[in-house]
Amino acid sequence: MKGKIIRMLLVGFIIVFLSACIDSAGKTSNDKEEATGGENVVNIGYSGPLSGAAAYYGENTLNGLEMAVEEINEQGFEVDGKTYKLNLIAYDDKYLPNETAANARRLVQEDDTPVVFTPHSGGIAALQVFNEQENFLIGAYSSEPAITEAGNELTVRIPPSYDGYLEPFTNYAMENFGNKLAALPPVTQYGKDWAEAIKPYWEKAGGEVVHESAIDFSKDTDFFTFLTNALESNPDVLFIGGPSEPTAKVAQQARDLGFEGGFIVMDQAKLDEMKNVTGSYEPLEGSIGTIPLINANYPGTEEFVKKYQEKYNKDPGSEAGFHYLSMYIFVEAMKAAGNVEDATVIREHIQGGLESLPEEKKVYEIEKIDENGGFEINTQYGAVEGGKVVPVSGD
């Protein structure tokens, strides 16, 4: 009897321990009946950075998905005569591609997720190795052009490709500050690729790249050494980026060291989110980047911003807006396809999903998905001038 009690206690301890391990992997709603009241369920997967230096970025992407799922589940959605609700299952990958791959395999094999969202290019590339074989769609939130150039037929690139930013960002920075550029991208594959795109473009436009180094935001929290070395080359413009919080600290420390030039800000970092770190737009004066969502003007933007502010008590960034919109697009595609399980069939009806999207859900206006799987979006740019964000023409 004593041995049986000990074994029962041991089993109980193991169960508690395993539950703690699952919870530590990130936010998750694995209990289908608890999440949806026992109705027909479609599991949706997410793997992104929910801890570490990029946690704020990851949480913002997840917030957009959660908000859309909650709204959709109020009524459910009908496919082939059945009403479904969504169950969002999210895991932390700490911004590490190998963790993204492990999370996705778990989501697909254990939870039959037809769609897995991930918001970083390294994770997306890791999933593209096997997603076609295992038949799941990647909701790819990265502006990396290689994502769609890879020819993966089950990848949907959500934001516009960053190569569209090269000309307007370069023109603005050169016209307002000068032609000497110091590049300080993050060490991620996305950062490396962005840098490799803008450096030759800058030089072709008549500029000079006077310094180049990379910052590892997962390890580095003080950037004075990087900036001191960069500023010794007397640049007119700093090329910076990555998650908004550490990027803002790079900009602030550059000002603290006396830098008076402009900033080209990679599209992952958002000017309004950077301002929340610096306290005002003053340290960011002369920055050129993507226009904050709260300054954009699309049919569904105002209503989305209002609801997001009420729910999360802060302004939404484009990460939240794009993920919110994309979740609705995937659901509309399922409805158009008459299928909630087969990723290949759902992908074939993404265009139909775009065309069926209610006007009030158009946080951004996406006219179509191109032949390679990228959403085509009318891109807007913004610059910090006089302590506020102003629209900048791409001409």
Side-chain angles (χ1 to χ4, degrees):
M1 177 65 70
K2 184 176 180 180
K4 180 182 287 187
I5 292 174
I6 292 173
R7 285 195 298 274
M8 290 175 64
L9 289 173
L10 181 59
V11 170
F13 172 78
I14 291 172
I15 292 172
V16 171
F17 176 75
L18 290 175
S19 298
C21 290
I22 292 172
D23 290 343
S24 70
K27 301 178 184 178
T28 178
S29 301
N30 276 316
D31 190 331
K32 294 182 182 180
E33 293 192 1
E34 180 181 339
T36 62
E39 301 178 13
N40 297 309
V41 175
V42 180
N43 285 333
I44 301 295
Y46 171 91
S47 178
L50 300 175
S51 63
Y56 183 79
Y57 168 70
E59 288 169 2
N60 286 341
T61 62
L62 187 55
N63 285 348
L65 291 177
E66 289 179 336
M67 189 166 156
V69 167
E70 289 176 10
E71 289 182 7
I72 291 167
N73 283 351
E74 288 177 5
Q75 300 293 328
F77 62 99
E78 187 173 316
V79 175
D80 197 25
K82 294 182 179 179
T83 299
Y84 290 86
K85 291 189 177 181
L86 301 173
N87 181 39
L88 178 62
I89 307 171
Y91 293 119
D92 181 14
D93 62 22
K94 305 175 183 65
Y95 220 21
L96 300 173
N98 62 310
E99 293 285 343
T100 313
N103 289 344
R105 287 193 182 278
R106 178 178 180 184
L107 287 163
V108 173
Q109 294 172 5
E110 295 182 10
D111 301 296
D112 299 319
T113 52
V115 181
V116 176
F117 288 89
T118 191
H120 53 100
S121 61
I124 294 163
L127 300 193
Q128 287 182 322
V129 173
F130 61 92
N131 75 302
E132 290 176 307
Q133 290 80 5
E134 299 198 15
N135 196 36
F136 69 93
L137 271 167
I138 303 172
Y141 188 78
S142 173
S143 61
E144 170 61 68
I147 288 169
T148 47
E149 292 171 357
N152 187 288
E153 295 184 358
L154 292 181
T155 296
V156 175
R157 194 195 69 236
I158 298 169
S161 171
Y162 65 63
D163 53 13
Y165 300 126
L166 299 179
E167 181 177 359
F169 287 13
T170 295
N171 290 347
Y172 181 87
M174 281 191 176
E175 289 171 6
N176 288 278
F177 295 99
N179 66 355
K180 292 190 292 184
L181 177 74
L184 293 169
V187 297
T188 60
Q189 190 61 51
Y190 158 81
K192 294 175 184 176
D193 292 344
W194 231 114
E196 289 305 311
I198 197 169
K199 287 186 299 180
Y201 194 93
W202 183 269
E203 292 171 340
K204 185 178 179 180
E208 180 185 3
V209 179
V210 296
H211 178 84
E212 181 183 357
S213 59
I215 301 174
D216 187 345
F217 289 132
S218 68
K219 298 178 180 178
D220 302 309
T221 56
D222 188 323
F223 313 112
F224 280 109
T225 300
F226 293 96
L227 289 162
T228 298
N229 293 335
L231 296 182
E232 285 180 354
S233 59
N234 196 30
D236 302 307
V237 179
L238 293 183
F239 169 62
I240 61 176
S244 295
E245 284 187 300
T247 302
K249 293 176 183 177
V250 172
Q252 180 65 69
Q253 290 185 3
R255 295 302 190 208
D256 293 343
L257 289 171
F259 178 64
E260 297 180 353
F263 296 106
I264 290 178
V265 182
M266 294 163 58
D267 56 318
Q268 183 181 357
K270 305 300 183 293
L271 296 173
D272 54 333
E273 294 174 359
M274 292 171 67
K275 183 203 69 172
N276 292 338
V277 177
T278 59
S280 73
Y281 276 124
E282 183 178 355
L284 306 177
E285 187 73 19
S287 297
I288 175 75
T290 58
I291 196 164
L293 181 57
I294 58 173
N295 298 112
N297 185 25
Y298 298 102
T301 302
E302 184 177 354
E303 181 65 20
F304 171 75
V305 169
K306 179 181 177 182
K307 290 189 295 186
Y308 191 93
Q309 289 170 335
E310 290 174 353
K311 182 174 179 60
Y312 295 106
N313 197 32
K314 62 180 180 179
D315 292 333
S318 60
E319 294 96 352
F322 271 121
H323 280 80
Y324 173 89
L325 173 62
S326 298
M327 189 70 264
Y328 270 99
I329 292 170
F330 279 116
V331 166
E332 290 296 327
M334 291 176 188
K335 291 160 66 175
N339 192 297
V340 299
E341 299 175 346
D342 191 329
T344 301
V345 176
I346 295 169
R347 168 63 184 87
E348 291 171 354
H349 289 81
I350 292 291
Q351 184 62 43
L354 286 169
E355 294 169 0
S356 301
L357 192 68
E359 196 76 5
E360 68 271 15
K361 301 305 177 185
K362 294 181 179 179
V363 181
Y364 292 92
E365 284 188 300
I366 304 173
E367 294 184 359
K368 65 178 184 178
I369 185 167
D370 66 30
E371 60 182 9
N372 295 320
F375 285 152
E376 292 192 359
I377 304 164
N378 293 324
T379 308
Q380 299 180 12
Y381 319 105
V384 179
E385 296 180 358
K388 62 181 181 180
V389 175
V390 299
V392 174
S393 172
D395 299 335

